[in-house]
Amino acid sequence: MGLINQNSRLGVILIVSGPSGTGKTTVCTRVREEMPELKFSVSCTTRAPRAGEQHGKDYYFLSREEFKRRIDNGEFIEYAEVFSNYYGTLKSEVIDRVKCGEDVFLDIDIQGAMQIRQCSQQDPLLGNCCEFIFIAPPSLEELEARLRNRASDSEEQIMQRLGKSKLEISYWKHYDYLVINDMLDAAVEDMKSLIRMTRKATKRLEEGLFNV
Ligand code: ADP
Ligand code: 5GP
């Protein structure tokens, strides 16, 4: 018999946020390709799909009525209204997976992350499993350039997103880790190293890990 019992570890819940346009989706997509064992939490949203987005892969696209029904049913770990649409994380995307030792990645806004942060103070599973990562742009000028280059939002939406970004950046101190997305490859490497490191935390290891 080996010294270590396999499957004696809870998964990590990696909660990633940062201002819109920072490059969260881009960084997370690369991490997803390069760490295929990571599970991504597919969020619910009431916003319309963008070109190429698929229901069940990028988001679960719901009507406002359906979203509210799920709120009333207690199906979300967190939800928030972001830019006039609801977004939320389903318990079913996260809880059973981490109990089985799978690592789950959440790309959610700061309000949602702070809700989970608060719950994790009372809930031992969330308290042990959550790691909060903030992604920041190298400058506000670069953030604006990225929002414009993405060409997915109207001028009004771009101004709305930029207007929120200064306050959002000030939240970095409520997170456990900070990744600056300046050069994409370096940010992806930082994120991967950080994920590997969180897997070594003893607080998620269970009694009976060692066969001694
Ligand atoms: P978010 O998900 O944070 O709103 P996106 O991933 O949609 O941001 O990225 C916004 C835009 O910035 C996209 O056009 C993307 O290609 C670009 N981008 C992302 N990361 C970088 C980077 N490190 N350098 C330059 N452009 C980037
Ligand atoms: P987008 O519409 O550009 O895909 O996302 C807009 C914002 O909503 C991003 O900041 C993204 O992180 C956030 N978001 C996506 N899913 C969720 C979620 O489940 N909960 C919360 N609170 N925010 C989310």
Side-chain angles (χ1 to χ4, degrees):
M1 189 173 22
L3 185 62
I4 294 183
N5 286 320
Q6 299 301 324
N7 306 323
S8 292
R9 184 177 77 85
L10 288 170
V12 191
I13 304 174
L14 297 148
I15 296 154
V16 177
S17 357
S20 179
T22 300
K24 297 182 298 295
T25 310
T26 310
V27 172
C28 296
T29 303
R30 278 275 304 274
V31 170
R32 201 170 180 167
E33 286 163 6
E34 295 175 30
M35 298 181 109
E37 73 286 6
L38 266 184
K39 305 292 171 196
F40 273 69
S41 163
V42 178
S43 294
C44 295
T45 183
T46 59
R47 85 151 160 75
R50 293 190 185 124
E53 284 184 331
Q54 290 172 26
H55 179 81
K57 179 171 174 279
D58 299 289
Y59 281 105
Y60 298 111
F61 294 100
L62 306 180
S63 65
R64 286 182 88 84
E65 293 66 36
E66 175 63 10
F67 199 102
K68 284 183 178 162
R69 192 189 64 74
R70 289 173 184 242
I71 295 174
D72 294 342
N73 252 356
E75 292 182 33
F76 293 110
I77 302 182
E78 63 73 34
Y79 67 91
E81 200 164 355
V82 186
F83 307 120
S84 311
N85 283 302
Y86 282 117
Y87 291 80
T89 307
L90 292 167
K91 289 178 185 164
S92 58
E93 289 284 313
V94 178
I95 303 298
D96 289 346
R97 287 174 167 171
V98 288
K99 283 185 182 164
C100 296
E102 292 183 332
D103 301 324
V104 186
F105 201 95
L106 275 60
D107 167 356
I108 64 175
D109 92 312
I110 292 163
Q111 304 171 72
M114 293 302 100
Q115 283 176 40
I116 299 182
R117 177 67 112 184
Q118 209 158 27
C119 293
S120 67
Q121 282 156 13
Q122 276 99 45
D123 181 322
L125 182 74
L126 290 180
N128 274 333
C129 294
C130 290
E131 299 286 354
F132 294 83
I133 305 170
F134 194 85
I135 306 195
S139 67
L140 289 176
E141 291 73 25
E142 177 63 16
L143 180 67
E144 179 166 358
R146 287 183 190 175
L147 281 168
R148 292 193 185 286
N149 288 343
R150 184 166 70 179
S152 66
D153 303 304
S154 65
E155 183 61 25
E156 190 192 343
Q157 285 169 324
I158 291 174
M159 294 321 288
Q160 203 184 20
R161 284 166 197 247
L162 279 175
K164 241 179 113 179
S165 62
K166 271 193 193 160
L167 175 67
E168 287 179 329
I169 286 172
S170 72
Y171 272 82
W172 67 266
K173 54 178 92 64
H174 298 285
Y175 287 71
D176 302 315
Y177 304 95
L178 174 66
V179 171
I180 308 280
N181 179 22
D182 187 357
M183 302 308 288
L184 181 61
D185 285 348
V188 170
E189 279 313 309
D190 281 354
M191 188 68 88
K192 285 166 54 186
S193 314
L194 220 156
I195 294 169
R196 287 195 200 99
M197 200 185 73
T198 63
R199 288 176 173 157
K200 306 286 180 202
T202 53
K203 67 177 175 179
R204 283 180 285 274
L205 299 177
E206 293 171 353
E207 289 299 327
L209 172 72
F210 285 101
N211 291 312
V212 287

